[in-house]
């Protein structure tokens, strides 16, 4: 019989203990929730791509909430308007050919560009968001009051206010992409958009004249009210230029003061669709 000690004895392993390589339960569940949501969003951008430029714009809006508004405002104009970048983000060959003539790039080249953009603009913002949240995320150290499971909370980063405004802005952006039937609908939308973005379009270069250019100038009204594909593309351009930077700034302001909650009292919020 061998006199060598068993591996269990050598490592003093408790057979009932958790695998020492398993991650410990998070003491700051809000940070953990943010990390997981960031990973999922980056996976979509780097590996999956998007069926259309509008889908990319909607993803960029969601990503604002995954980074707490820490991506630079101008990136939301850069990514969805530069032909090569957009072509690399689209996974639909027909959409690439229709909107972007530089569709000769190979799948590997397109993937490389997505990874490059993520490393340059998106990943650093994820880090900044984690740094921003780290001092405001509740830490649970009392064994009698364990940290809640972030997967059980209905709220992104456990902050109901962020969920409310994300939903409001999502509704408003979809209404914009769809276009308007009348000038009065457009005027109502502009007023609602200010509420849903805390008036932050005022701080976007050129945003101070956004209402006037859109409502009083013939070219602006045509883009907003037009039903053709060309006008729909025009609305996408304006969304990248003005709307997404405004929502991004609003997210930044909201994230700085939003309180943490872990229950489901506000899970079923009713957001008007007007």
């Amino acid at each position: 019989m061998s006199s060598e000690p068993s591996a269990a004895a050598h490592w003093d392993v408790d057979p009932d203990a958790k695998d020492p390589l398993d991650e410990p339960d998070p003491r700051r569940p809000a940070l953990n929730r943010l990390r997981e949501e960031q990973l999922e969003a980056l996976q979509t951008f780097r590996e999956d791509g998007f069926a259309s430029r509008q889908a990319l714009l909607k993803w960029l809006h969601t990503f604002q909430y995954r980074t707490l508004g820490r991506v630079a405002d101008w990136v939301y104009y850069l990514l969805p308007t530069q032909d090569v970048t957009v072509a690399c983000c689209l996974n639909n060959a027909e959409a690439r050919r229709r909107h972007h003539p530089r569709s000769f790039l190979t799948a590997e080249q397109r993937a490389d560009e997505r990874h490059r953009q993520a490393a340059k603009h998106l990943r650093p913002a994820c880090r900044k968001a984690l740094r921003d949240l780290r001092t405001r995320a509740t830490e649970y150290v009392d064994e009698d009051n364990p940290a809640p499971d972030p997967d059980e909370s209905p709220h992104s980063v456990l902050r109901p206010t962020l969920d409310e405004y994300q939903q409001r802005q999502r509704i408003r952006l979809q209404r914009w992409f769809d276009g308007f039937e009348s000038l009065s609908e457009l005027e109502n939308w502009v007023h609602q958009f200010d509420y849903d973005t805390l008036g932050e379009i005022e701080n976007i270069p050129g945003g101070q004249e956004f209402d006037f250019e859109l409502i009083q100038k013939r070219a602006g009204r045509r883009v907003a009210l037009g039903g053709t594909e060309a006008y729909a593309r025009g609305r996408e351009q304006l969304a990248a230029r003005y709307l997404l930077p405004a929502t991004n700034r609003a997210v930044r302001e909201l994230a700085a003061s939003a309180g943490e909650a872990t229950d489901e009292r506000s899970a079923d919020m009713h957001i008007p669709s007007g």
Side-chain angles (χ1 to χ4, degrees):
M1 178 181 292
S2 173
S3 61
E4 290 294 323
S6 68
H10 180 73
W11 290 102
D12 194 22
V13 174
D14 180 354
D16 297 324
K18 293 176 63 176
D19 187 330
L21 297 182
D22 284 348
E23 290 191 12
D25 295 332
R27 295 287 185 174
R28 292 181 177 178
L31 281 176
N32 187 65
R33 178 72 170 261
L34 183 61
R35 175 189 64 165
E36 295 299 327
E37 290 178 340
Q38 288 175 346
L39 282 172
E40 182 179 355
L42 289 169
Q43 170 76 14
T44 297
F45 183 87
R46 291 186 297 216
E47 306 297 337
D48 300 337
F50 307 91
S52 66
R53 183 168 68 162
Q54 186 177 131
L56 170 61
L57 287 163
K58 292 177 180 178
W59 179 90
L60 287 169
H61 174 249
T62 298
F63 194 68
Q64 293 174 349
Y65 284 86
R66 304 299 175 254
T67 54
L68 306 183
R70 300 308 301 177
V71 176
D73 296 339
W74 57 266
V75 172
Y76 291 105
Y77 180 73
L78 171 76
L79 289 181
T81 60
Q82 289 199 342
D83 287 348
V84 172
T85 302
V86 175
C88 289
C89 289
L90 296 180
N91 57 25
N92 184 303
E94 182 180 350
R96 287 198 302 271
R97 288 192 297 269
R98 184 170 64 250
H99 296 294
H100 310 283
R102 297 176 183 177
S103 57
F104 54 83
L105 297 171
T106 67
E108 182 178 2
Q109 288 172 322
R110 295 195 303 273
D112 285 346
E113 177 63 12
R114 293 196 302 275
H115 281 262
R116 189 182 77 83
Q117 293 291 345
K120 186 174 180 61
H121 299 302
L122 307 182
R123 269 288 306 126
C126 291
R127 183 183 304 117
K128 290 178 182 178
L130 288 167
R131 289 176 61 84
D132 284 350
L133 189 62
R134 64 183 179 178
T135 59
R136 292 181 283 110
T138 301
E139 182 177 5
Y140 295 82
V141 295
D142 186 354
E143 295 298 335
D144 295 329
N145 182 30
D149 184 348
D151 294 332
E152 296 298 321
S153 172
H155 312 301
S156 175
V157 295
L158 311 186
R159 279 154 172 76
T161 297
L162 292 182
D163 285 347
E164 176 192 347
Y165 276 85
Q166 183 179 2
Q167 188 176 348
R168 287 184 180 279
Q169 292 171 3
R170 184 185 294 128
I171 291 169
R172 215 65 64 203
L173 287 170
Q174 186 59 61
R175 189 71 186 85
W176 171 263
F177 290 136
D178 292 342
F180 303 92
E181 296 294 331
S182 67
L183 183 60
S184 62
E185 282 188 6
L186 175 59
E187 290 172 329
N188 178 66
W189 179 91
V190 169
H191 189 73
Q192 299 286 6
F193 184 76
D194 276 345
Y195 177 83
D196 295 337
T197 55
L198 310 178
E200 281 296 326
I201 200 168
E202 181 76 13
N203 293 316
I204 305 304
Q208 301 88 343
E209 298 294 322
F210 181 76
D211 296 28
F212 182 80
E213 295 290 332
L214 187 65
I215 295 171
Q216 295 299 319
K217 295 293 184 70
R218 183 178 301 175
R221 288 200 304 270
R222 281 203 301 262
V223 170
L225 303 176
T228 68
E229 184 177 338
Y231 288 132
R233 290 200 300 269
R235 290 193 293 274
E236 291 173 359
Q237 287 285 119
L238 289 176
R241 174 69 180 82
Y242 296 105
L243 307 187
L244 285 184
T247 58
N248 191 51
R249 282 177 172 264
V251 174
R252 206 176 305 157
E253 291 296 321
L254 291 164
S257 59
E260 184 169 313
T262 57
D263 59 33
E264 300 186 10
R265 285 176 296 176
S266 55
D268 298 321
M269 294 177 298
H270 172 69
I271 308 300
S273 58

